[in-house]
Short mmCIF file of all heavy atoms in Angstrom, two decimals:
data_model
loop_
_atom_site.label_atom_id
_atom_site.label_comp_id
_atom_site.label_asym_id
_atom_site.label_seq_id
_atom_site.Cartn_x
_atom_site.Cartn_y
_atom_site.Cartn_z
N VAL Z 17 8.25 20.01 -20.76
CA VAL Z 17 8.11 20.68 -22.05
C VAL Z 17 6.65 20.52 -22.46
O VAL Z 17 6.15 19.40 -22.55
CB VAL Z 17 9.03 20.07 -23.12
CG1 VAL Z 17 8.83 20.80 -24.45
CG2 VAL Z 17 10.49 20.17 -22.69
N GLY Z 18 5.96 21.64 -22.68
CA GLY Z 18 4.53 21.60 -22.97
C GLY Z 18 3.74 21.43 -21.68
O GLY Z 18 4.26 21.65 -20.57
N GLY Z 19 2.48 21.06 -21.86
CA GLY Z 19 1.62 20.90 -20.67
C GLY Z 19 1.32 22.23 -20.00
O GLY Z 19 1.13 22.32 -18.78
N GLY Z 20 1.28 23.30 -20.80
CA GLY Z 20 1.05 24.64 -20.25
C GLY Z 20 -0.36 24.86 -19.75
O GLY Z 20 -1.18 23.94 -19.71
N THR Z 22 -3.00 26.20 -20.87
CA THR Z 22 -4.18 25.97 -21.70
C THR Z 22 -4.27 24.52 -22.17
O THR Z 22 -5.19 24.15 -22.90
CB THR Z 22 -4.14 26.86 -22.98
OG1 THR Z 22 -2.95 26.51 -23.71
CG2 THR Z 22 -4.12 28.33 -22.63
N SER Z 23 -3.31 23.69 -21.75
CA SER Z 23 -3.28 22.32 -22.29
C SER Z 23 -4.26 21.42 -21.56
O SER Z 23 -4.68 21.69 -20.43
CB SER Z 23 -1.87 21.73 -22.14
OG SER Z 23 -1.65 21.35 -20.80
N GLN Z 24 -4.58 20.33 -22.22
CA GLN Z 24 -5.50 19.36 -21.63
C GLN Z 24 -4.80 18.49 -20.58
O GLN Z 24 -5.37 18.17 -19.55
CB GLN Z 24 -6.03 18.47 -22.77
CG GLN Z 24 -7.11 17.54 -22.37
CD GLN Z 24 -7.60 16.65 -23.52
OE1 GLN Z 24 -8.54 15.91 -23.35
NE2 GLN Z 24 -6.98 16.71 -24.68
N ILE Z 25 -3.55 18.13 -20.84
CA ILE Z 25 -2.96 17.01 -20.11
C ILE Z 25 -1.88 17.42 -19.11
O ILE Z 25 -1.43 16.60 -18.31
CB ILE Z 25 -2.42 15.96 -21.13
CG1 ILE Z 25 -2.40 14.56 -20.53
CG2 ILE Z 25 -1.06 16.35 -21.68
CD1 ILE Z 25 -3.75 13.97 -20.30
N GLY Z 26 -1.46 18.69 -19.15
CA GLY Z 26 -0.35 19.11 -18.29
C GLY Z 26 -0.63 18.92 -16.80
O GLY Z 26 0.24 18.48 -16.04
N ALA Z 45 9.67 24.56 -20.19
CA ALA Z 45 9.33 25.35 -21.39
C ALA Z 45 7.91 24.89 -21.69
O ALA Z 45 7.69 23.96 -22.43
CB ALA Z 45 10.28 25.02 -22.53
N PHE Z 46 6.96 25.55 -21.02
CA PHE Z 46 5.62 24.99 -20.90
C PHE Z 46 4.71 25.23 -22.08
O PHE Z 46 3.65 24.61 -22.17
CB PHE Z 46 4.93 25.59 -19.65
CG PHE Z 46 5.56 25.17 -18.36
CD1 PHE Z 46 6.47 26.00 -17.73
CD2 PHE Z 46 5.26 23.95 -17.79
CE1 PHE Z 46 7.06 25.63 -16.54
CE2 PHE Z 46 5.83 23.57 -16.60
CZ PHE Z 46 6.75 24.41 -15.97
N ASP Z 47 5.10 26.15 -22.97
CA ASP Z 47 4.10 26.59 -23.94
C ASP Z 47 4.77 26.96 -25.25
O ASP Z 47 5.91 27.44 -25.26
CB ASP Z 47 3.38 27.83 -23.35
CG ASP Z 47 1.99 28.02 -23.91
OD1 ASP Z 47 1.86 28.22 -25.14
OD2 ASP Z 47 1.04 27.99 -23.11
N ILE Z 48 4.07 26.77 -26.33
CA ILE Z 48 4.57 27.19 -27.64
C ILE Z 48 4.67 28.72 -27.68
O ILE Z 48 5.50 29.28 -28.40
CB ILE Z 48 3.65 26.66 -28.78
CG1 ILE Z 48 4.25 26.87 -30.15
CG2 ILE Z 48 2.26 27.25 -28.71
CD1 ILE Z 48 5.37 25.96 -30.48
N ARG Z 52 3.56 33.33 -22.56
CA ARG Z 52 2.50 32.65 -21.80
C ARG Z 52 3.10 31.54 -20.95
O ARG Z 52 2.73 31.34 -19.80
CB ARG Z 52 1.47 32.09 -22.80
CG ARG Z 52 0.11 31.84 -22.22
CD ARG Z 52 -0.90 31.52 -23.31
NE ARG Z 52 -0.47 30.42 -24.19
CZ ARG Z 52 -1.17 29.98 -25.22
NH1 ARG Z 52 -2.32 30.53 -25.53
NH2 ARG Z 52 -0.72 28.98 -25.96
N ALA Z 91 4.92 16.91 -22.97
CA ALA Z 91 3.45 16.88 -23.12
C ALA Z 91 3.06 17.90 -24.18
O ALA Z 91 2.33 18.86 -23.91
CB ALA Z 91 2.78 17.15 -21.79
N THR Z 92 3.56 17.67 -25.38
CA THR Z 92 3.34 18.56 -26.52
C THR Z 92 2.61 17.77 -27.61
O THR Z 92 2.49 16.54 -27.52
CB THR Z 92 4.71 19.01 -27.08
OG1 THR Z 92 5.50 17.83 -27.29
CG2 THR Z 92 5.45 19.92 -26.11
N PRO Z 93 2.17 18.43 -28.69
CA PRO Z 93 1.55 17.66 -29.79
C PRO Z 93 2.49 16.60 -30.38
O PRO Z 93 3.73 16.72 -30.30
CB PRO Z 93 1.21 18.75 -30.81
CG PRO Z 93 0.97 19.97 -29.96
CD PRO Z 93 2.00 19.88 -28.87
N ASN Z 94 1.90 15.59 -30.99
CA ASN Z 94 2.60 14.34 -31.33
C ASN Z 94 3.82 14.50 -32.23
O ASN Z 94 4.81 13.78 -32.08
CB ASN Z 94 1.61 13.38 -32.02
CG ASN Z 94 0.39 13.10 -31.16
OD1 ASN Z 94 0.29 13.61 -30.06
ND2 ASN Z 94 -0.53 12.31 -31.67
N THR Z 96 6.09 16.50 -32.29
CA THR Z 96 7.30 17.02 -31.64
C THR Z 96 7.96 15.99 -30.73
O THR Z 96 9.09 16.20 -30.28
CB THR Z 96 6.96 18.26 -30.78
OG1 THR Z 96 6.04 17.85 -29.76
CG2 THR Z 96 6.32 19.36 -31.60
N HIS Z 97 7.26 14.89 -30.42
CA HIS Z 97 7.77 13.97 -29.38
C HIS Z 97 9.16 13.43 -29.71
O HIS Z 97 10.05 13.42 -28.86
CB HIS Z 97 6.81 12.78 -29.19
CG HIS Z 97 5.47 13.19 -28.64
ND1 HIS Z 97 4.40 12.33 -28.55
CD2 HIS Z 97 5.02 14.37 -28.15
CE1 HIS Z 97 3.37 12.97 -28.03
NE2 HIS Z 97 3.71 14.20 -27.79
N ILE Z 100 12.02 16.07 -29.44
CA ILE Z 100 12.26 16.54 -28.07
C ILE Z 100 12.86 15.40 -27.23
O ILE Z 100 13.76 15.62 -26.41
CB ILE Z 100 10.98 17.13 -27.44
CG1 ILE Z 100 10.44 18.28 -28.31
CG2 ILE Z 100 11.26 17.65 -26.03
CD1 ILE Z 100 9.11 18.87 -27.82
N GLU Z 114 4.73 11.65 -23.72
CA GLU Z 114 3.36 11.32 -24.10
C GLU Z 114 3.35 10.34 -25.28
O GLU Z 114 4.33 10.22 -26.01
CB GLU Z 114 2.60 12.60 -24.50
CG GLU Z 114 1.89 13.24 -23.34
CD GLU Z 114 0.91 12.28 -22.68
OE1 GLU Z 114 0.57 11.24 -23.27
OE2 GLU Z 114 0.49 12.55 -21.55
N LYS Z 115 2.24 9.65 -25.42
CA LYS Z 115 2.05 8.78 -26.56
C LYS Z 115 1.45 9.58 -27.70
O LYS Z 115 0.81 10.59 -27.43
CB LYS Z 115 1.18 7.57 -26.25
CG LYS Z 115 -0.02 7.76 -25.35
CD LYS Z 115 -1.06 8.77 -25.60
CE LYS Z 115 -1.85 8.86 -26.86
NZ LYS Z 115 -2.90 9.88 -26.83
N PRO Z 116 1.59 9.18 -28.95
CA PRO Z 116 2.51 8.15 -29.40
C PRO Z 116 3.94 8.68 -29.34
O PRO Z 116 4.21 9.83 -29.65
CB PRO Z 116 2.08 7.90 -30.85
CG PRO Z 116 1.46 9.18 -31.30
CD PRO Z 116 0.85 9.79 -30.08
N THR Z 141 3.48 7.71 -20.95
CA THR Z 141 2.30 7.86 -20.10
C THR Z 141 1.06 7.20 -20.70
O THR Z 141 0.11 7.86 -21.10
CB THR Z 141 2.03 9.35 -19.79
OG1 THR Z 141 2.32 10.13 -20.95
CG2 THR Z 141 2.86 9.82 -18.63
N GLY Z 143 -1.46 6.15 -19.31
CA GLY Z 143 -1.91 6.37 -17.93
C GLY Z 143 -2.85 5.30 -17.39
O GLY Z 143 -2.80 4.98 -16.20
N TYR Z 144 -3.71 4.75 -18.25
CA TYR Z 144 -4.69 3.76 -17.75
C TYR Z 144 -3.99 2.52 -17.20
O TYR Z 144 -4.54 1.81 -16.37
CB TYR Z 144 -5.65 3.36 -18.87
CG TYR Z 144 -6.29 4.56 -19.52
CD1 TYR Z 144 -5.79 5.08 -20.71
CD2 TYR Z 144 -7.37 5.21 -18.92
CE1 TYR Z 144 -6.34 6.21 -21.30
CE2 TYR Z 144 -7.93 6.34 -19.50
CZ TYR Z 144 -7.40 6.83 -20.69
OH TYR Z 144 -7.96 7.95 -21.26
N SER Z 187 -7.31 22.13 -29.11
CA SER Z 187 -6.71 20.85 -28.71
C SER Z 187 -7.13 19.72 -29.65
O SER Z 187 -6.44 18.71 -29.76
CB SER Z 187 -7.13 20.47 -27.29
OG SER Z 187 -6.37 21.16 -26.36
N TRP Z 190 -5.28 20.21 -33.87
CA TRP Z 190 -4.02 19.62 -34.30
C TRP Z 190 -4.13 18.10 -34.41
O TRP Z 190 -3.41 17.46 -35.17
CB TRP Z 190 -2.85 20.05 -33.42
CG TRP Z 190 -2.87 19.63 -31.97
CD1 TRP Z 190 -3.17 20.41 -30.89
CD2 TRP Z 190 -2.52 18.34 -31.43
NE1 TRP Z 190 -3.06 19.69 -29.72
CE2 TRP Z 190 -2.65 18.42 -30.02
CE3 TRP Z 190 -2.12 17.13 -31.99
CZ2 TRP Z 190 -2.41 17.33 -29.17
CZ3 TRP Z 190 -1.87 16.05 -31.15
CH2 TRP Z 190 -2.01 16.16 -29.77
N ARG Z 191 -5.08 17.52 -33.67
CA ARG Z 191 -5.24 16.05 -33.70
C ARG Z 191 -5.73 15.53 -35.04
O ARG Z 191 -5.61 14.35 -35.34
CB ARG Z 191 -6.21 15.60 -32.59
CG ARG Z 191 -5.59 15.60 -31.21
CD ARG Z 191 -6.64 15.25 -30.15
NE ARG Z 191 -6.04 14.75 -28.94
CZ ARG Z 191 -5.49 15.50 -27.99
NH1 ARG Z 191 -5.45 16.82 -28.15
NH2 ARG Z 191 -4.97 14.97 -26.90
N ASP Z 205 -3.86 8.20 -31.48
CA ASP Z 205 -4.35 8.97 -30.32
C ASP Z 205 -5.07 8.07 -29.32
O ASP Z 205 -4.92 8.25 -28.11
CB ASP Z 205 -5.31 10.05 -30.83
CG ASP Z 205 -5.53 11.15 -29.80
OD1 ASP Z 205 -4.54 11.67 -29.28
OD2 ASP Z 205 -6.71 11.48 -29.51
N HIS Z 209 -3.63 3.10 -26.52
CA HIS Z 209 -3.91 2.86 -25.08
C HIS Z 209 -4.37 1.42 -24.82
O HIS Z 209 -3.72 0.71 -24.06
CB HIS Z 209 -4.96 3.85 -24.57
CG HIS Z 209 -4.43 5.21 -24.25
ND1 HIS Z 209 -3.52 5.44 -23.25
CD2 HIS Z 209 -4.67 6.41 -24.80
CE1 HIS Z 209 -3.23 6.73 -23.18
NE2 HIS Z 209 -3.90 7.34 -24.12
N TRP Z 333 -2.20 7.51 -12.74
CA TRP Z 333 -1.03 8.24 -13.23
C TRP Z 333 0.04 8.37 -12.14
O TRP Z 333 1.23 8.30 -12.41
CB TRP Z 333 -1.44 9.64 -13.72
CG TRP Z 333 -1.97 9.69 -15.11
CD1 TRP Z 333 -3.10 9.09 -15.59
CD2 TRP Z 333 -1.39 10.39 -16.22
NE1 TRP Z 333 -3.25 9.39 -16.92
CE2 TRP Z 333 -2.22 10.18 -17.32
CE3 TRP Z 333 -0.25 11.19 -16.37
CZ2 TRP Z 333 -1.96 10.72 -18.58
CZ3 TRP Z 333 0.01 11.73 -17.61
CH2 TRP Z 333 -0.83 11.49 -18.71
P1 NAI K 1 -3.01 20.58 -26.02
O1 NAI K 1 -3.06 21.13 -27.40
O2 NAI K 1 -4.17 20.79 -25.13
O3 NAI K 1 -1.72 21.20 -25.27
C1 NAI K 1 -0.43 21.17 -25.84
C2 NAI K 1 0.51 21.99 -24.97
O4 NAI K 1 1.82 21.91 -25.52
C3 NAI K 1 0.16 23.48 -24.93
O5 NAI K 1 0.45 23.97 -23.64
C4 NAI K 1 1.11 24.09 -25.97
O6 NAI K 1 1.35 25.46 -25.78
C5 NAI K 1 2.34 23.25 -25.72
N1 NAI K 1 3.29 23.18 -26.83
C6 NAI K 1 3.05 22.90 -28.13
N2 NAI K 1 4.20 22.85 -28.82
C7 NAI K 1 5.20 23.10 -27.93
C8 NAI K 1 6.61 23.19 -28.04
N3 NAI K 1 7.23 22.99 -29.21
N4 NAI K 1 7.32 23.49 -26.93
C9 NAI K 1 6.71 23.69 -25.74
N5 NAI K 1 5.36 23.61 -25.59
C10 NAI K 1 4.63 23.32 -26.66
O7 NAI K 1 -2.65 19.05 -26.15
P2 NAI K 1 -2.97 17.90 -25.10
O8 NAI K 1 -4.33 17.38 -25.31
O9 NAI K 1 -2.58 18.32 -23.74
O10 NAI K 1 -1.98 16.75 -25.64
C11 NAI K 1 -0.58 16.83 -25.49
C12 NAI K 1 -0.01 15.44 -25.66
O11 NAI K 1 -0.56 14.59 -24.67
C13 NAI K 1 -0.35 14.78 -27.01
O12 NAI K 1 0.73 14.04 -27.46
C14 NAI K 1 -1.50 13.85 -26.69
O13 NAI K 1 -1.52 12.71 -27.54
C15 NAI K 1 -1.16 13.45 -25.28
N6 NAI K 1 -2.31 13.06 -24.47
C16 NAI K 1 -2.20 11.92 -23.74
C17 NAI K 1 -3.21 11.47 -22.95
C18 NAI K 1 -3.00 10.24 -22.15
O14 NAI K 1 -3.97 9.67 -21.64
N7 NAI K 1 -1.78 9.78 -21.98
C19 NAI K 1 -4.50 12.18 -22.90
C20 NAI K 1 -4.51 13.43 -23.65
C21 NAI K 1 -3.44 13.84 -24.40
#
Side-chain angles (χ1 to χ4, degrees):
V17 179
T22 60
S23 76
Q24 187 181 185
I25 206 70
F46 294 97
D47 205 298
I48 189 74
R52 202 170 53 181
T92 51
N94 304 359
T96 62
H97 294 171
I100 303 176
E114 269 303 345
K115 39 53 57 175
T141 38
Y144 307 98
S187 280
W190 64 256
R191 283 176 158 80
D205 198 50
H209 280 295
W333 276 64

